[in-house]
Amino acid sequence: MRDLTVIFDLDGTLVDTAPDLIAAANHALGDIGLDPVPGFVLAPAIALGARFMILDGLKHTGRHLPDGEVDRLLKLFLDYYLANIANESRPYPGAVDALTTLKAQGARLGICTNKRSHLSNALIGALGLNDLVHAVVGRDSVKKSKPHPEHLMETIRLADGDPKRAIMIGDTAVDVATARAAGVPVIGVPFGYSDRPITELAPDAVITHYDQLLPAIESLVRRFAAA
């Protein structure tokens, strides 16, 4: 794995954050008297960020608010989420072992996420993952966030990696589109928050458990080396 760069999405890929994000969204929406919105409604918006979760929650309830009021709800969301960022969020089974092995074998590791950087770092810190990744790049750290390829390329750069020797791991159409736009192979996971089966998005490979990640990476490396 030496000289290889592996970039992960965060929410729904490395960490199951849906319970805490959904709680934060419903906390904010509850401020205007709305009943809790079901998780299956809010989860697909996680890939796009907190504001989209609020907007989808409002749409589900038939409410429309001016931008200023949405901004106020967004602040309520973010404040609540930061204070409760790892109440129920946990790395997916096998994820920590996979990161540890990849790093020990010389891979450069990064996180490319549409979560804000300070929240991403707070979550990673709360889960004890700081020492396993070389770069964390949130949506507010780049001019154009996912699915724009700039976000992924900047993450690779900050991880001191090489785009020609990089692979991305993600769970949604946003991640697959980002990798495709950057010309980077992508591995999909089916246990995240996509509103479509990951196989329909045609990633280069799919894993159903992190025990399968290293063999999948090795297979992709061989495939693209032979192309």
Side-chain angles (χ1 to χ4, degrees), residues 76-93:
L76 288 176
F77 178 115
L78 296 175
D79 289 346
Y80 180 91
Y81 182 58
L82 181 60
N84 298 275
I85 201 161
N87 282 0
E88 298 184 58
S89 296
R90 298 293 182 269
Y92 285 102

Side-chain angles (χ1 to χ4, degrees), residues 47-220:
L48 297 172
R51 188 181 187 89
F52 285 89
M53 292 185 70
I54 291 172
L55 292 173
D56 275 13
L58 291 170
K59 181 179 179 181
H60 176 75
T61 59
R63 294 287 296 272
H64 176 77
L65 298 177
D67 287 346
E69 183 66 357
V70 174
D71 290 341
R72 187 184 70 81
L73 294 185
L74 177 59
K75 185 176 187 310
L76 288 176
F77 178 115
L78 296 175
D79 289 346
Y80 180 91
Y81 182 58
L82 181 60
N84 298 275
I85 201 161
N87 282 0
E88 298 184 58
S89 296
R90 298 293 182 269
Y92 285 102
V96 174
D97 288 343
L99 289 171
T100 301
T101 301
L102 284 167
K103 187 172 183 181
Q105 292 183 359
R108 308 298 297 177
L109 306 179
I111 292 175
C112 179
T113 174
N114 274 338
K115 188 191 290 292
R116 287 161 173 79
S117 293
H118 76 285
L119 295 175
S120 301
N121 284 301
L123 175 63
I124 292 164
L127 297 176
L129 304 179
N130 304 71
D131 294 337
L132 293 178
V133 294
H134 300 98
V136 178
V137 183
R139 66 179 302 121
D140 52 336
S141 296
V142 289
K143 291 181 179 179
K144 296 179 179 179
S145 60
K146 295 188 300 183
H148 197 281
E150 175 186 316
H151 196 168
L152 175 55
M153 298 300 280
E154 178 67 0
T155 308
I156 295 170
R157 185 186 71 81
L158 290 175
D160 197 24
D162 180 355
K164 296 179 180 179
R165 291 273 299 163
I167 292 174
M168 184 170 184
I169 321 296
D171 69 308
T172 67
V174 171
D175 299 314
V176 174
T178 302
R180 292 283 180 248
V184 171
V186 57
I187 295 173
V189 298
F191 41 72
Y193 311 139
S194 177
D195 59 353
R196 296 167 56 193
I198 191 67
T199 52
E200 289 185 7
L201 304 176
D204 296 292
V206 174
I207 61 168
T208 58
H209 190 283
Y210 270 100
D211 289 351
Q212 302 166 355
L213 180 60
L214 271 69
I217 289 174
E218 291 167 354
S219 177
L220 278 183

